[in-house]
Amino acid sequence: MTKALITGVTGQDGSYLAELLLSKGYEVVGVVRRTSHHSYERIEHLLDRIEVVAADLLDQHSLTVVLQDTQPDEVYNLAAQSYVPTSWTQPVLTGEFTALGVTRILEAIRLVHPRARFYQASSSEMFGRVTETPQRETTSFYPRSPYGVAKVYGHWITVNYRESYGLYAVSGILFNHESPRRGIEFVTRKVTDGVARIKLGLARQIKLGNLEARRDWGFAGDYVDAMWRMLQQPTPQDYVIGTGRAHSVRELVEAAFGHVGLDWREHVVTDPKFMRPAEVDLLMADASKARRELGWSPQVAFRELIAMMVDADLERLTSRR
């Protein structure tokens, strides 16, 4: 039985990846931080089928011990401080988790289990102020946030360990991917949760920042399949993963409110405090390499995704009444 180790297993991507790997007959080990409060909401339905172990991206020793004890065939590093606005208020912590945390895992693999195949969750935020559109594997990085900068470090240290030590280590440069399991602080989920609350009479408005920012949004469940495919290739390579279509925050809002028959203009307020210090205006993927070499393509379209998220938030809020 193939064994996979997943950091960030309690997050959106970690939960979908754990489900996918279990469906393929994997033994799954999920890494969690030891805290006084366990947040297992996204993987609660999987706890009887996966092993949960404690380790921390800030602690080299704990990661080395976990690698030594579990001896996984595949390692997926999905843990990070992943909320871009927080990276401005906690830039040093973001660097520790999102940048140096990658090095700690790679060093643990190198020292005690170099046969493991490693996946690093890179991000389209690395492109930042884009030098070409759409963005592909060869596009230059120009990050516009501490989070983006930290992700660039994580990406290049993965390349460095691959080339320096011969590790099977790859980065998936994933564009924005969403789902009903997305954190409430992210704009897609903030909108769909807000729409559900307004529809149910629990709120009257949503405050947002830049409505003209454009992103390539896809479904997280599709994207974890791309992660798995990357580790099945004969040689390690990096891949851009996205839909190839960009939509503005305004289009997101229109789709979400339109799904429940409301006019977004009556409920959305622009608030300067939600503007980024340095904006990323347009991200759009060229995932042709992944389509060609991995046989991967997105299955859920943008409006279908937003409808899925609105419906899930309506169901969640209704069940709490």
Side-chain angles (χ1 to χ4, degrees):
M1 181 180 292
T2 305
K3 182 186 289 187
L5 183 75
I6 305 173
T7 71
V9 71
T10 61
Q12 170 188 255
D13 292 6
S15 63
Y16 280 112
L17 179 62
E19 288 176 347
L20 175 72
L21 297 180
L22 287 170
S23 74
K24 294 180 179 297
Y26 276 59
E27 181 180 351
V28 175
V29 180
V31 176
V32 300
R33 300 185 70 198
R34 190 178 297 282
T35 64
S36 60
H37 174 69
H38 295 302
S39 180
Y40 293 164
E41 179 183 355
R42 296 183 182 94
I43 60 167
E44 192 171 359
H45 62 297
L46 303 175
L47 289 177
D48 61 342
R49 301 170 62 196
I50 69 175
E51 178 185 358
V52 175
V53 298
D56 198 311
L57 289 183
L58 302 185
D59 181 58
Q60 179 71 62
H61 178 70
S62 67
L63 295 170
T64 303
V65 169
V66 164
L67 263 294
Q68 180 69 61
D69 290 348
T70 59
Q71 297 284 300
D73 301 286
E74 299 172 1
V75 178
Y76 297 85
N77 180 39
L78 309 185
Q81 190 302 99
S82 59
Y83 186 46
V84 174
T86 297
S87 75
W88 273 290
T89 58
Q90 298 182 346
V92 175
L93 184 66
T94 298
E96 287 286 352
F97 274 116
T98 308
L100 292 179
V102 185
T103 311
R104 295 184 185 106
I105 297 176
L106 285 165
E107 188 67 1
I109 292 172
R110 183 184 74 86
L111 290 173
V112 301
H113 192 45
R115 295 188 307 278
R117 295 191 169 198
F118 175 75
Y119 172 86
Q120 164 61 13
S122 287
S123 168
S124 59
E125 287 286 333
M126 300 189 304
F127 295 122
R129 180 183 285 176
V130 298
T131 57
E132 64 176 348
T133 298
Q135 295 85 52
R136 51 183 64 85
E137 291 79 7
T138 56
T139 302
S140 299
F141 299 139
Y142 194 147
R144 297 270 282 168
S145 67
Y147 170 77
V149 172
K151 279 294 186 181
V152 170
Y153 177 99
H155 179 88
W156 281 116
I157 200 67
T158 301
V159 173
N160 187 260
Y161 269 68
R162 178 170 73 217
E163 296 179 350
S164 300
Y165 302 116
L167 298 184
Y168 191 111
V170 305
S171 286
I173 306 174
L174 271 57
F175 282 62
N176 295 64
H177 45 289
E178 319 297 321
S179 76
R181 300 178 192 175
R182 189 55 142 158
I184 200 73
E185 68 274 16
F186 290 87
V187 66
T188 48
R189 185 72 194 291
K190 181 179 180 180
V191 168
T192 62
D193 174 76
V195 166
R197 289 179 184 277
I198 291 168
K199 182 65 176 178
L200 295 173
L202 302 175
R204 298 184 63 182
Q205 64 180 22
I206 305 174
K207 293 183 178 181
L208 298 173
N210 181 11
L211 297 182
E212 305 312 319
R214 297 173 62 82
R215 294 292 185 273
D216 185 332
W217 279 300
F219 174 50
D222 290 341
Y223 287 38
V224 298
D225 176 59
M227 298 177 189
W228 174 77
R229 289 173 186 249
M230 288 180 211
L231 292 193
Q232 314 314 309
Q233 301 307 300
T235 58
Q237 296 187 64
D238 304 325
Y239 293 89
V240 161
I241 302 297
T243 70
R245 296 184 178 182
H247 299 273
S248 66
V249 175
R250 187 185 302 275
E251 290 176 80
L252 160 67
V253 168
E254 290 173 347
F257 276 96
H259 182 62
V260 296
L262 295 176
D263 185 345
W264 69 273
R265 290 165 293 192
E266 297 177 4
H267 302 284
V268 173
V269 176
T270 301
D271 189 333
K273 78 176 183 179
F274 294 113
M275 298 290 187
R276 294 185 179 188
E279 185 57 80
V280 174
D281 297 311
L282 170 62
L283 294 174
M284 186 169 69
D286 176 359
S288 57
K289 180 182 176 184
R291 292 174 183 267
R292 183 174 64 253
E293 298 183 9
L294 302 180
W296 178 87
S297 62
Q299 302 301 304
V300 178
F302 173 71
R303 289 188 176 275
E304 182 183 356
L305 169 63
I306 301 308
M308 175 201 306
M309 294 174 66
V310 171
D311 288 343
D313 280 321
L314 282 169
E315 182 178 353
R316 175 179 57 85
L317 293 169
T318 301
S319 67
R320 290 182 179 180
R321 286 183 149 185

